[in-house]
Amino acid sequence: MSDIQTIESEALKAIDGASDLQSLDAVRVAELGKKGRVSGLMKTLGKMSPKERQEMGPKLNALKNRVADAVEARKTTLEDAALEAQLATETLDMTLPPKPEHVGALHPVTQVFEEVAAIFGDMGFAVAEGPDIEDDWHNFTALNFPEGHPARETHDTFFMETPEGGDPKVLRTHTSPVQIRTMTSQKPPIRILAPGRVYRNDWDATHTPMFHQVEGLVIEKGIHMGHLKGCLVDFVKAFFEVDDVEARFRPHFFPFTEPSAEMDVKYTKKGETIEIGAGDRWMEILGSGMVHPNVLRNCGIDPDEYQGFAFGMGIDRLAMLKYGMPDLRPYFEADPAWTRHYGFKPWLTPSVSGGLS
Ligand code: DAH
C-alpha cells in the first residue's frame, strides 16, 4: 500500500473515531498541521523531479482535500450532536406559570377607565384629552359659568398663580373643559369620551383633592333626551354586568346643560355588598343633560343646526361600587399590598365582547 493510501485510511479512521471536538482537533493537527503527516508528504514534492512532481502533486493535493473535508464533516456532526445534547438538558416547561408571580397590578381606577372606554368605544365614542392645568375660560366661562356666578363657588377651585396680564389658570375642577376643547377643534358630528384627573380643594372620608372623572359628549343633528337616556342606561347595564337596571333621571342644575338631570339607579344592600340594578334604594351615579345653546355658541356651533348631550361621572366611586372597596383614601396611598389585593392583571384588556372584568 502506498504512503498515500495508508495515511488516508488511517486518517479517515481516526477522524471517524474522534468522539468530541477536542480529539477531532488533535487528529486534524496530527495530519494537516505544520508538522502533520499529510503536510510532511506535501513537503516531499520540493525534492521531486519535475516529472514525479507532475504525477504526485495532484494526488497529494487530493489527499489533503479529502482529509480536510472529512475533518469538516465530522466537525459538523459533532457540533450538531453537542447542540442536541444541550437542548435536551435545557428544557423549558411552557405549561408552568411565569415565575415570580406577576408583581405589578393595574390600579382599579385604571381598570375602570379601560372598562368605560371599552363600553363607549363600542358605541362609537373616541377618547379625547385636555390639560390638567386649564384656563379659566375653558374650565368655566365657555361652559356658561358667567364671572361671579355662584356655581363657580361650588367647585372649590385651586387657582394657579397668574403672571401679570396672563390668562388666569386653574387646576381643572372637572373634565367638562374637554368638551370645549373638542368642539372648538373638531366639526360635528362629535362623539367623545374624556377620562382624566380633576382637582378640588376638599379632603375628608369621601373626598380627595385629586380624583377622576369621565366626561362624555355627543353633538349631532336631531339629538334629544331619548338618546341620552338610552345611551346611559346601556352603559350602566354593561358596566355593572346586569341584564336590567331600573333608572331615573332627576332634574338638576348644571350651567352647561339645559335641561340637566342626575341619573339614579336602584340598588340593594346585602350586608356590606351593594347590588346595582334593582332594589329599594336609589343611588346617584352621574350628571347629564342637553348641551346648553350658549355652550354651543361659545364654540362656534349653531344650536339651531346641532344639538347634543353630555354627561360626567366620578370614576373612583364607580370603582368602589363595582369592586367593593369600602374607603376612598387608600386609593392614593400607593400601598403595594392594597394594589395587589384590589388590582388587576395588566394583560387582561377589557372588551365588551370578551368580558370586562
Ligand atoms: N362637570 C360636572 C361636575 O363635575 C359633571 C357633569 C354634569 C358633566 C353634567 C356633564 C354634565 O357633562 O352634562 O360636577
Side-chain angles (χ1 to χ4, degrees):
M1 215 195 282
S2 74
D3 265 1
I4 293 182
Q5 280 169 326
T6 315
I7 290 179
E8 175 163 355
S9 70
E10 283 178 7
L12 295 184
K13 209 169 146 201
I15 290 166
D16 238 17
S19 57
D20 55 37
L21 289 168
Q22 221 178 346
S23 46
L24 176 65
D25 203 53
V27 177
R28 182 188 64 77
V29 171
E31 303 296 348
L32 302 172
K34 259 193 194 149
K35 293 181 182 160
R37 281 200 297 180
V38 175
S39 310
L41 274 184
M42 298 294 285
K43 277 180 204 150
T44 61
L45 284 172
K47 290 179 199 138
M48 289 178 191
S49 69
K51 197 165 172 294
E52 272 180 318
R53 200 179 303 136
Q54 214 170 28
E55 192 200 335
M56 290 305 288
K59 287 188 181 164
L60 290 178
N61 257 328
L63 166 70
K64 190 175 106 185
N65 290 341
R66 281 195 297 273
V67 173
D69 287 350
V71 169
E72 264 320 296
R74 183 71 187 151
K75 193 172 166 213
T76 310
T77 311
L78 289 175
E79 279 173 349
D80 287 352
L83 184 64
E84 283 298 324
Q86 188 187 3
L87 288 177
T89 57
E90 290 180 2
T91 50
L92 192 61
D93 185 348
M94 304 296 273
T95 62
L96 288 174
K99 280 188 173 177
E101 282 285 299
H102 68 281
V103 276
L106 288 188
H107 195 286
V109 168
T110 308
Q111 168 75 14
V112 167
F113 268 153
E114 286 183 8
E115 292 178 15
V116 173
I119 297 167
F120 283 104
D122 210 48
M123 299 185 204
F125 286 64
V127 170
E129 288 184 313
D132 288 21
I133 297 177
E134 191 49 284
D135 53 53
D136 181 272
W137 189 79
H138 285 93
N139 196 79
F140 291 123
T141 313
L143 285 162
N144 201 35
F145 289 77
E147 277 182 44
H149 191 283
R152 286 190 177 215
E153 309 303 318
T154 65
H155 274 216
D156 300 309
T157 312
F158 284 112
F159 294 95
M160 309 288 289
E161 241 175 72
T162 310
E164 274 289 305
D167 267 354
K169 294 265 201 288
V170 299
L171 285 179
R172 67 176 175 193
T173 58
H174 50 175
T175 41
S176 304
V178 184
Q179 290 187 29
I180 305 299
R181 292 195 172 268
T182 307
M183 285 189 278
T184 50
S185 64
Q186 289 176 29
K187 293 225 169 309
I190 289 169
R191 248 184 244 191
I192 56 117
L193 191 74
R197 280 188 276 267
V198 300
Y199 307 83
R200 294 188 194 185
N201 192 356
D202 215 349
W203 177 236
D204 60 34
T206 52
H207 296 89
T208 49
M210 187 280 293
F211 56 105
H212 301 88
Q213 287 189 339
V214 167
E215 190 81 12
L217 175 72
V218 172
I219 306 286
E220 285 173 39
K221 286 182 182 170
I223 291 286
H224 53 69
M225 284 290 275
H227 296 121
L228 177 158
K229 199 175 157 194
C231 171
L232 293 176
V233 169
D234 279 354
F235 161 71
V236 173
K237 283 198 274 193
F239 180 74
F240 288 106
E241 300 173 65
V242 289
D243 291 334
D244 226 340
V245 67
E246 228 183 303
R248 72 176 179 195
F249 287 80
R250 185 172 29 76
H252 197 74
F253 172 79
F254 298 107
F256 37 88
T257 43
E258 182 57 38
S260 305
E262 281 190 328
M263 182 182 185
D264 299 338
V265 291
K266 276 273 178 83
Y267 74 99
T268 336
K269 204 164 177 199
K270 290 190 179 148
E272 280 309 297
T273 58
I274 281 176
E275 279 172 22
I276 302 279
D280 51 0
R281 307 187 200 193
W282 290 109
M283 179 184 313
E284 178 251 310
I285 57 161
L286 55 84
S288 65
M290 300 304 294
V291 179
H292 197 294
N294 287 350
V295 174
L296 294 172
R297 274 188 219 106
N298 289 340
C299 299
I301 294 175
D302 179 359
D304 292 328
E305 195 181 353
Y306 288 103
Q307 295 73 41
F309 68 83
F311 54 88
M313 53 197 161
I315 283 301
D316 311 274
R317 204 165 63 97
L318 279 187
M320 284 169 85
L321 282 174
K322 183 162 177 181
Y323 293 114
M325 277 114 12
D327 191 345
L328 182 61
R329 281 166 296 190
Y331 268 49
F332 307 115
E333 282 170 4
D335 173 3
W338 186 88
T339 317
R340 260 197 305 279
H341 182 73
Y342 287 112
F344 291 82
K345 294 189 177 82
W347 57 86
L348 299 179
T349 309
S351 78
V352 173
S353 52
L356 287 175
S357 53

